[in-house]
Amino acid sequence: MKTIAVLLLFVTLAVAADWGWSKCGGGAYDISKITMTPDPPVAGKNLSFAFDGMLSETITSGKVTVNVYWEGIWVRTVSDPICQGNCPIKAGKWDIPGHPTLLPSYTPSGSYRNNIVMTDQNNKQLACVNINFTI
């Protein structure tokens, strides 16, 4: 879960006044809630996202890939292991706590989309969500 928290750092590249999220595919991790703290975020301050959901199978490894878009233009892709030293992650309720990330004060205004894809040890999709921001 530590790695997932680090990955959430890259999810928070935008300072958003309005935000929402949607699933972009299914898998063994059914995300039911994403919480943003604070809401709304403030430039130059910490921001975090927490995920709540149910994992239908035990995972022994995997990765999280975050694609960041600004105004529909790809900005960057970051990929990291889904866990470091805490695998296996057993089936059942799996809540990923938010990791506070300092937002840059110079983030340009506009629309942001962060596409997050989690895969398991067999490269099978666990979850896919889009988090949308408007600065």
Side-chain angles (χ1 to χ4, degrees):
M1 283 197 221
K2 182 178 179 181
T3 298
I4 293 173
V6 171
L7 283 173
L8 294 179
L9 165 105
F10 298 105
V11 174
T12 59
L13 291 176
V15 179
D18 296 317
W19 76 285
W21 68 278
S22 61
K23 294 179 183 179
C24 49
Y29 184 44
D30 183 18
I31 297 171
S32 58
K33 181 180 178 184
I34 299 176
T35 304
M36 178 175 67
T37 306
D39 182 5
V42 178
K45 303 286 184 183
N46 284 329
L47 176 64
S48 67
F49 291 91
F51 295 76
D52 294 348
M54 292 295 293
L55 185 61
S56 63
E57 63 186 42
T58 297
I59 57 174
T60 58
S61 67
K63 69 178 179 177
V64 177
T65 302
V66 180
N67 291 289
V68 180
Y69 299 86
W70 172 72
E71 294 293 331
I73 301 166
W74 173 83
V75 176
R76 70 182 298 169
T77 298
V78 179
S79 197
D80 277 311
I82 205 163
C83 54
Q84 290 180 349
N86 63 336
C87 277
I89 299 170
K90 296 186 180 192
K93 185 143 179 63
W94 186 25
D95 296 339
I96 304 168
H99 176 74
T101 304
L102 183 62
L103 296 173
S105 60
Y106 53 82
T107 303
S109 62
S111 297
Y112 288 80
R113 178 172 55 94
N114 296 298
N115 170 256
I116 303 167
V117 178
M118 299 177 185
T119 56
D120 69 8
Q121 63 276 359
N122 299 312
N123 205 33
K124 188 170 93 178
Q125 183 172 291
L126 293 169
C128 178
V129 294
N130 287 313
I131 301 177
N132 299 293
F133 302 89
T134 302
I135 294 177

